[in-house]
Amino acid sequence: MRLIIAEKPSLARAIAEALPGAARRDDGALVVGDTTVTWCLGHLLEQAPPDAYDPALKQWRLDHLPILPAEWKLMPRPRARGQLAVIRRLLKGAREVVHAGDPDREGQLLVQEVIEHLGWKGPVSRLLVSDLNRPAVQRALARLEDNARYQPLFRAAESRARADWLYGINLTRAWTLIGRQAGHDGVLSVGRVQTPVLGLVVRRDAEIRDFVPRPFFVLWADLEVAAGRLRAWWQPGETHPLDDQGRLLARQPAADLAERLPGAEGRLARLESRDRRQPAPLPYSLSALQVDAARRFGLSAKAVLEICQRLYERHKLITYPRSDCRYLPEEHFASARATLEGACRTDPTLRGWLAGADFSRRSRAWNDKQVGAHHALSPTGKPADPSRLDKAEADVFRLIARNVLAQFYPPLVTREVKAEFAIAGEAFRASGQEILEPGWKPLFTTREEAPPLPPLTEGETCRVREAGVEDRETRPPEPFTDASLIKAMMNIGRYVEDPAVRRTLREHDGLGTEATRAGIIETLVERGYLVRRAKALRATRLGSALIASLPDAVGRPERTALWEQRLGSIAEAGDDPAPFLASLVTDLHGLLSSADAGRLRQALANARGEEPAPAGRPSARRRGSTARRRGTGTGGSRPTRRRRSS
């Protein structure tokens, strides 16, 4: 018997349907001829708790830290024991095993750890499925690979799981224990990803809170030129009081000039014009889709992920959604027309866009060199049944299809014009943009662009018809939203102060993964560290105090971003995981030595932040369960039954 082990039941059903012959159900499996397809339920195994290594560790004590397992143990998740028994039984009759986890680091781990935990010693092949439709699964079945090729991916995922355990268990226990000494009765969860994300929000909130607005002043002049009228803006020179962004800090110079300007003549001293060709935005990665869907439809990152999972598993309308790639395989280009015609058939908006597509065009999106374990989100070609999709599902599906359709539209061509006028011995600037060829732009917005400047000729004269001064104030940064926080996590290098680290992160940018970013935000909300106010995400008093009490490096992104870089080297270059884990243990000793109840007590006393809505706080048991689920990416400790305070 050939035994195929899928990551989840939906994938197992898709594989069984793609095999020749009719499938019959067995206990926890599907049988098609000589092939049996079974499944995991996400992670069937989890890292054992500290007391599995030593019963004395069930009690939380500072003198037990750091906890460093000599030999790592896994244990079945409570709800997974039945399916684990099914796989154990089927392995006894198998001659070959096929690993059919999702095509990513975590998918490699969760199936392979089961195979190894149950002691299978025979051959293992690897099946990579990113599209659940029958033709795509049949193609994948025809090109099985040796699972040994993916050992580096497994070692990286295993190292991530162990490192998260070490970091989360030890720091969470340490800060919870000093929290008790400081008067806080509850678990203070610390994780290598969740805590830097919390730190981003806490620091942004502090910038907003401490912001002191400063007045500045701008002077405009409405000019008459040969071909019409335009508005230009004064560019005050260095003899005037300016801030570091060139803004005028005193009103009087602008007011004096405004009085003299009406009726004054000048000339167009310099004219710059250039045409720009912009290719269509690339197809979506999950994070890019979460950002756009949040802005356009107000959907949370978690909601977008859940919608994508339904579109992938239940409706089979899109390819594998948890992708960090925005490119498509070159072999998909030949079938793109048929795929999109099928995908757009039942949606009037998509049909209209399809009519304008030129399938002889080949955009930069088709690039095998940019495609790794995943490719960008794209339609499978299956027509959507409008009666089975809710509005949010239809909206998200339309975005995914639109970005692929846009690859078959011409570039957007614009003309950008910059003009500088010399009037009364001062410089005035105006700029405008004209759309020459709309290309893909109508698929993305129906908004009217700002009117372009009238035709201009360098050296021509102008006359000031009217002038005025506007009083303005500097504005604080905007609070984070789901969209902007996901974007910050995608581009975490922008928040790194060390120039050398920032350079290192250019190719390894990102905090969390496509699969975990939404879960990280929700975990922070559930644990009472963040709260939603309308669309804004704000830190609570508890969240602010936790960041203030931790060593600065724990609440900043440098450590975890470089950590992901090391894991990438293990996965892609086959680096040995041992030095990575050894360096983490060294770091832990230093971090634990800095745990200070006095500092935490002061942080709790000084904390300023939002209070979570009382009705919206889940119970301690429910909040703790979040860390158990695959995909949270919190790096926190294994949940305990201790009560958490609100």
Side-chain angles (χ1 to χ4, degrees):
M1 174 191 67
R2 177 175 68 164
L3 178 63
I4 301 177
I5 305 175
E7 178 164 333
K8 54 179 77 73
S10 58
L11 177 57
R13 288 192 295 271
I15 293 170
E17 290 169 2
L19 292 168
R24 64 177 175 85
R25 295 192 67 86
D26 192 13
D27 178 24
L30 297 166
V31 180
V32 186
D34 189 42
T35 299
T36 298
V37 187
T38 189
W39 53 83
C40 299
L41 303 165
H43 279 286
L44 298 182
L45 302 168
E46 63 184 358
Q47 293 292 331
D51 54 277
Y53 298 96
D54 182 349
L57 296 177
K58 192 165 188 175
Q59 183 181 7
W60 290 27
R61 292 175 49 175
L62 285 171
D63 58 3
H64 287 162
L65 305 180
I67 301 169
L68 306 171
E71 293 186 11
W72 289 90
K73 297 179 181 180
L74 295 172
M75 61 183 292
R77 292 184 173 229
R79 296 181 181 179
R81 294 183 185 277
Q83 191 60 22
L84 202 60
V86 169
I87 299 173
R88 179 183 286 108
R89 171 178 59 81
L90 293 172
L91 281 172
K92 292 177 181 177
R95 69 174 188 278
E96 175 194 359
V97 169
V98 178
H99 179 318
D102 281 351
D104 59 15
R105 196 168 74 190
E106 208 65 18
Q108 185 68 33
L109 173 68
L110 73 83
V111 174
Q112 187 165 334
E113 68 183 1
V114 168
I115 294 171
E116 295 189 358
H117 182 74
L118 295 178
W120 173 258
K121 302 298 183 185
V124 181
S125 301
R126 185 65 164 97
L127 173 63
L128 297 166
V129 177
S130 60
D131 181 340
L132 294 186
N133 280 297
R134 180 177 293 181
V137 179
Q138 288 173 332
R139 288 194 299 270
L141 284 163
R143 50 184 187 224
L144 295 179
E145 301 180 62
D146 186 344
N147 189 58
R149 179 181 175 187
Y150 295 90
Q151 280 299 107
L153 201 64
F154 170 72
R155 285 195 294 269
E158 183 181 59
S159 300
R160 191 277 312 154
R162 292 174 176 179
D164 276 346
W165 190 97
L166 288 169
Y167 197 82
I169 287 286
N170 284 292
L171 295 186
T172 294
R173 286 196 173 199
W175 258 260
T176 298
L177 290 167
I178 66 166
R180 290 179 189 168
Q181 297 173 15
H184 176 74
D185 180 21
V187 173
L188 289 175
S189 177
V190 181
R192 59 101 183 178
V193 177
Q194 68 164 8
T195 307
V197 173
L198 175 60
L200 288 176
V201 180
V202 168
R203 288 188 291 277
R204 173 63 59 84
D205 285 354
E207 290 175 20
I208 295 169
R209 183 185 65 240
D210 299 338
F211 181 81
V212 178
R214 296 186 63 185
F216 67 98
F217 308 91
V218 295
L219 166 61
W220 53 266
D222 285 345
L223 309 181
E224 186 173 314
V225 294
R229 296 181 68 167
L230 59 88
R231 176 162 289 189
W233 303 85
W234 180 39
Q235 307 298 305
E238 294 181 357
T239 57
H240 299 290
L242 307 177
D243 66 10
D244 57 1
Q245 295 185 39
R247 293 176 296 207
L248 183 67
L249 300 178
R251 194 178 197 283
Q252 197 59 46
D256 292 344
L257 180 57
E259 287 184 6
R260 296 189 286 116
L261 281 174
E265 291 191 353
R267 68 181 185 89
L268 177 51
R270 187 170 65 194
L271 180 66
E272 296 179 6
S273 175
R274 67 165 182 161
D275 293 353
R276 289 188 61 196
R277 295 172 62 87
Q278 293 177 254
L282 289 166
Y284 284 117
S285 64
L286 175 60
S287 289
L289 176 63
Q290 287 169 320
V291 170
D292 273 8
R295 288 174 175 167
R296 186 174 288 261
F297 306 121
L299 295 170
S300 71
K302 179 185 178 184
V304 176
L305 175 57
E306 291 173 347
I307 288 166
C308 286
Q309 285 297 128
R310 295 197 297 273
L311 292 173
Y312 172 61
E313 295 180 359
R314 181 189 305 170
H315 304 296
K316 299 183 181 178
L317 292 176
I318 66 169
T319 57
Y320 181 74
R322 296 172 182 246
S323 173
D324 60 354
C325 178
R326 300 197 68 176
Y327 292 85
L328 295 166
E330 293 172 16
E331 70 171 8
H332 286 200
F333 179 76
S335 59
R337 180 173 193 154
T339 298
L340 289 168
E341 285 176 347
C344 300
R345 188 177 304 161
T346 58
D347 186 301
T349 300
L350 291 176
R351 284 202 308 271
W353 292 341
L354 179 70
D358 176 0
F359 288 98
S360 67
R361 290 185 174 275
R362 190 183 184 100
S363 81
R364 60 193 173 127
W366 316 95
N367 188 341
D368 285 346
K369 293 179 180 178
Q370 298 289 343
V371 176
H374 316 293
H375 59 70
L377 279 68
S378 63
T380 61
K382 180 181 177 182
D385 181 351
S387 67
R388 295 189 62 203
L389 297 183
D390 62 31
K391 182 181 184 302
E393 289 171 341
D395 287 340
V396 171
F397 176 67
R398 195 174 294 118
L399 287 182
I400 293 168
R402 178 201 66 181
N403 272 42
V404 179
L405 271 170
Q407 307 311 308
F408 299 98
Y409 272 70
L412 165 66
V413 183
T414 57
R415 176 165 295 156
E416 296 180 351
V417 179
K418 295 180 180 179
E420 183 170 309
F421 296 86
I423 307 169
E426 300 288 343
F428 290 78
R429 289 180 187 164
S431 61
Q433 185 183 82
E434 178 183 1
I435 294 180
L436 303 179
E437 297 177 28
W440 51 264
K441 188 73 171 177
L443 276 66
F444 286 75
T445 181
T446 56
R447 290 179 303 176
E448 293 186 9
E449 300 293 330
L453 297 179
L456 296 169
T457 303
E458 190 167 314
E460 70 173 286
T461 60
C462 65
R463 179 185 293 273
V464 179
R465 305 294 297 183
E466 192 176 356
V469 179
E470 292 183 6
D471 296 2
R472 298 185 181 179
E473 275 192 340
T474 55
R475 299 179 61 184
E478 294 291 327
F480 277 116
T481 63
D482 276 73
S484 61
L485 189 54
I486 287 280
K487 192 168 184 179
M489 295 163 75
M490 291 167 63
N491 303 287
I492 199 63
R494 298 176 185 175
Y495 299 85
V496 171
E497 296 178 357
D498 187 325
V501 175
R502 194 183 307 120
R503 284 193 299 271
T504 303
L505 290 174
R506 283 175 185 165
E507 294 183 4
H508 299 273
D509 216 359
L511 193 59
T513 67
E514 304 295 318
T516 64
R517 288 173 184 143
I520 290 164
I521 295 173
E522 294 306 317
T523 295
L524 291 169
V525 172
E526 289 176 0
R527 291 180 174 167
Y529 299 148
L530 296 183
V531 65
R532 283 192 172 91
R533 293 284 183 254
K535 291 184 178 181
L537 287 164
R538 309 300 293 259
T540 64
R541 295 171 65 88
L542 180 60
S544 297
L546 178 59
I547 291 299
S549 71
L550 287 162
D552 191 55
V554 176
R556 290 190 175 272
E558 287 87 340
R559 180 191 303 272
T560 192
L562 291 172
W563 187 341
E564 281 297 329
Q565 182 184 358
R566 301 267 315 255
L567 291 171
S569 296
I570 295 169
E572 297 161 18
D575 287 5
D576 182 2
F580 163 65
L581 292 172
S583 67
L584 171 59
V585 170
T586 301
D587 282 347
L588 278 175
H589 282 284
L591 294 172
L592 292 170
S593 67
S594 67
D596 182 348
R599 180 177 177 181
L600 179 53
R601 186 181 298 108
Q602 191 64 47
L604 288 166
N606 295 343
R608 289 181 287 175
E610 299 278 343
E611 287 299 336
R617 288 290 303 279
S619 68
R621 184 178 296 274
R622 180 182 160 201
R623 290 202 307 272
S625 67
T626 304
R628 291 179 181 265
R629 303 183 197 127
R630 180 192 168 212
T632 60
T634 62
S637 69
R638 184 174 182 270
T640 73
R641 294 185 178 178
R642 282 188 175 82
R643 179 179 63 84
R644 284 181 176 156
S645 72
S646 58

